[in-house]
Amino acid sequence: MNLLFSIDDRFYRQLITVLYSLTLNSPENKINVYVITTPEFSHAGELKRACHQLKMVFHQVIIPTDAFADAPVTDRYPKTIYYRLLAHQYLPADLHRILYLDADLLCINDLTHFYQMDLTGYMYASAIHTNLTNTTDVINKLRLQNFDADGYYNSGVLLMNLDEIRQKIKPTDIFDYIQEHILLLPDQDVLNALYGKYIRTVPDQLYNFDTRNLRVYEAISTGQWNLNWVMEHTVFLHFCGRQKPWLATTNRGKFTALYKNYFKLANRLG
């Protein structure tokens, strides 16, 4: 199993927490962890030690300082927005599949079924975050003009078919699109606008559960997707938004205490 992350120095402890949760809840024996960083990243040693303790193999993928020199970059659109979309340029050529994960999530059930799903003809598998109405999806389709896509995909959990990606993604397409459009969530907007029709949709209540919206999930499912159901079935809890659980001084949600427990135990490693 191959996992992909892209972080800076602020998030190495959160990444260790993700890896710890994976170890506890997925039985995969060999996990390769690829972490995209800049040359200035200073916590590779801690990550390598933590991976060793978790019986994972750490691979640092250093993006050269002059990478994307010709790409449009502003305060709002830093270079980091390109890393997950163009990771295939820096990953080993013999990798065919990899799972990109944001560092602000937990794995609380086995991800093997998700990782092994059929991606024939698709570049990615990803989830569309559930809403009580489809108004947001309609607005995003109008905004991005991607009417062939099922909806607006969240880029925090992306199962990647690297063979398809290498065939279809051209950096100039991404650079040109950013120069020509006003974007709200840069990398996510690009993913949806250019490649939304090549994404296999997976259920967000299983693979990208937005922890802010437990009540919404319960309402949509007429009570089925309650807290007990989530703990038994959901694979990834995603702590979206600005209020991150590792910063919380009070219990801001049902899952804050759970995250803090994983964070505390995980960071005894490294």
Side-chain angles (χ1 to χ4, degrees):
M1 182 179 291
N2 304 309
L3 303 177
L4 176 66
F5 300 89
S6 176
I7 64 167
D8 59 25
D9 282 318
R10 297 171 298 171
F11 285 93
Y12 81 97
R13 292 189 181 277
Q14 290 79 0
L15 174 51
I16 292 173
T17 305
V18 180
L19 298 177
Y20 180 74
S21 71
L22 283 157
T23 300
L24 289 186
N25 297 301
S26 275
E28 177 68 32
N29 291 325
K30 183 178 180 181
I31 296 179
N32 291 293
V33 178
Y34 293 86
V35 182
I36 298 175
T37 73
T38 63
E40 294 76 27
F41 184 71
S42 62
H43 293 287
E46 291 97 320
L47 290 179
K48 185 175 182 179
R49 286 192 294 274
C51 285
H52 178 74
Q53 289 181 261
L54 295 170
K55 296 182 170 39
M56 299 175 173
V57 182
F58 173 70
H59 307 268
Q60 186 178 11
V61 181
I62 298 176
I63 299 289
T65 302
D66 61 352
F68 311 123
D70 298 327
V73 175
T74 67
D75 290 341
R76 189 175 181 187
Y77 305 149
K79 285 185 180 182
T80 53
I81 69 173
Y82 301 108
Y83 293 170
R84 84 188 71 179
L85 295 175
L86 296 173
H88 59 282
Q89 295 189 144
Y90 298 94
L91 292 169
D94 60 351
L95 286 187
H96 304 289
R97 175 177 298 233
I98 199 165
L99 174 59
Y100 171 83
L101 298 172
D102 277 352
D104 60 348
L105 55 77
L106 289 178
C107 174
I108 61 170
N109 281 293
D110 186 10
L111 64 83
T112 305
H113 179 73
F114 174 58
Y115 186 85
Q116 294 177 347
M117 73 167 47
D118 183 15
L119 286 182
T120 303
Y122 292 100
M123 297 168 64
Y124 304 99
S126 182
I128 300 164
H129 274 150
T130 303
N131 291 287
L132 286 172
T133 71
N134 67 350
T135 303
T136 303
D137 279 345
V138 171
I139 291 171
N140 281 321
K141 285 187 177 185
L142 289 170
R143 183 171 65 87
L144 301 174
Q145 297 292 295
N146 62 336
F147 298 103
D148 292 333
D150 290 343
Y152 188 77
Y153 294 96
N154 182 275
S155 62
V157 177
L158 281 177
L159 182 61
M160 299 182 170
N161 180 347
L162 292 172
D163 295 328
E164 287 285 331
I165 288 171
R166 290 180 182 115
Q167 289 181 30
K168 290 186 170 70
I169 288 187
K170 298 180 177 60
T172 53
D173 292 342
I174 295 173
F175 301 159
D176 290 346
Y177 188 86
I178 290 175
Q179 285 181 320
E180 295 167 4
H181 296 82
I182 297 174
L183 308 178
L184 300 179
L185 299 170
D187 62 310
Q188 201 159 269
D189 280 356
V190 172
L191 173 76
N192 281 273
L194 296 182
Y195 311 114
K197 64 182 178 180
Y198 302 111
I199 300 177
R200 178 173 176 177
T201 305
V202 298
D204 59 322
Q205 70 271 18
L206 291 176
Y207 301 119
N208 197 331
F209 189 100
D210 186 338
T211 57
R212 299 170 298 181
N213 292 327
L214 177 60
R215 290 184 179 179
V216 174
Y217 286 107
E218 287 190 78
I220 290 170
S221 64
T222 61
Q224 179 186 356
W225 302 337
N226 58 23
L227 182 61
N228 288 337
W229 186 94
V230 170
M231 295 306 298
E232 186 174 346
H233 295 92
T234 295
V235 175
F236 294 117
L237 294 176
H238 195 175
F239 294 87
C240 304
R242 294 186 178 185
Q243 294 187 342
K244 300 303 185 185
W246 57 86
L247 299 175
T249 56
T250 59
N251 188 0
R252 293 175 175 168
K254 295 286 187 182
F255 302 102
T256 301
L258 177 68
Y259 184 91
K260 282 183 170 292
N261 185 55
Y262 273 96
F263 187 84
K264 177 183 176 181
L265 294 173
N267 283 284
R268 292 174 179 172
L269 305 171

